[in-house]
Amino acid sequence: MKTVAVVDYGMGNLRSVTQAVMHVASGSGVEVVWARRPEEVLAADRVVLPGQGAMRDCMRELHASGMHAAVLHAAAHKPLMGVCVGMQMLLDRSEEGPTESLGLIPGEVVRFQLAGRHQADGSRFKVPQIGWNQVRQSRPHPVWAGVEDGSWFYFVHSYYARTSDARHSVGEADYGGGFTAAVARDNIFATQFHPEKSAQAGLALYRNFLLWNP
């Protein structure tokens, strides 16, 4: 039986992510593992890396849990999907802290600079961005299969990824200006938004990830 490991290093919305992946995996022959040990990540056929909270705390706990090397191994050898801060951790560094991250996708994570700016309805932009936003599929990718371009996804974030190579930005949204909402490289796909909170479009991404063979 194929397995997908949801990495538990103490800093992610594990329950909702795991339940969403289990939902789309039902009847597919894929077993979902709530991975609390590095060996479970190493043994899995594919890996989901969630993240929530401050980048510095996430990176610290990734090391402290013993998961750091296992995640890097997964990124080198099997399909890996990052979610929210789990996406931000894939880049080189973050302004938050500042913090050095995993260095798997060239670029940095920066904070929204929206003080004093107003939206079209006259309301102020708030940081963090909390709520639904449309995502434009800026580059084709198998994980987008069957998901309508411009679909709405749920975001909660104050920082966003800025990739060094535009080819790694596969989804974009607008919040006081365009920003990268999804990144991809080789066997890695990741989203700033929360697929598990994004209704059918989000579930479709998890389903596509389980079927993706990069």
Side-chain angles (χ1 to χ4, degrees), residues 40-214:
E40 294 171 310
V41 176
L42 293 171
D45 297 290
R46 56 193 66 222
V47 172
V48 176
L49 178 66
Q52 188 169 285
M55 172 71 83
R56 176 173 288 177
D57 295 338
C58 286
M59 288 303 301
R60 183 190 66 238
E61 293 304 313
L62 190 69
H63 282 279
S65 65
M67 291 292 195
H68 184 267
V71 168
L72 288 179
H73 183 273
H77 297 284
K78 62 192 73 173
L80 183 146
M81 182 171 180
V83 178
C84 195
V85 178
M87 183 194 91
Q88 296 179 5
M89 293 166 71
L90 301 175
L91 278 77
D92 293 320
R93 66 191 63 84
S94 173
E95 285 184 346
E96 188 177 16
T99 306
E100 296 297 312
S101 9
L102 294 171
L104 296 169
I105 294 179
E108 61 181 348
V109 176
V110 297
R111 183 176 173 84
F112 283 117
Q113 300 295 333
L114 300 172
R117 296 184 56 189
H118 293 77
Q119 303 189 63
D121 63 3
S123 63
R124 288 181 179 270
F125 281 103
K126 296 180 180 179
V127 178
Q129 177 191 194
I130 301 176
W132 296 84
N133 202 343
Q134 283 184 290
V135 175
R136 179 176 66 86
Q137 298 169 22
S138 48
R139 293 186 182 276
H141 194 280
V143 179
W144 289 130
V147 177
E148 185 177 354
D149 192 12
S151 291
W152 292 79
F153 295 92
Y154 192 81
F155 290 81
V156 182
H157 64 127
S158 300
Y159 295 78
Y160 63 92
R162 188 161 62 194
T163 61
S164 298
D165 189 331
R167 292 175 298 177
H168 295 150
S169 179
V170 298
E172 297 178 0
D174 189 281
Y175 193 66
F179 70 91
T180 293
V183 300
R185 180 185 67 79
D186 302 329
N187 57 305
I188 297 171
F189 182 91
T191 67
Q192 178 61 67
F193 53 83
H194 290 268
E196 70 282 358
K197 297 180 180 179
S198 299
Q200 292 305 311
L203 292 177
L205 293 186
Y206 281 136
R207 185 178 296 111
N208 290 341
F209 173 69
L210 296 185
L211 299 173
W212 178 37
N213 291 302

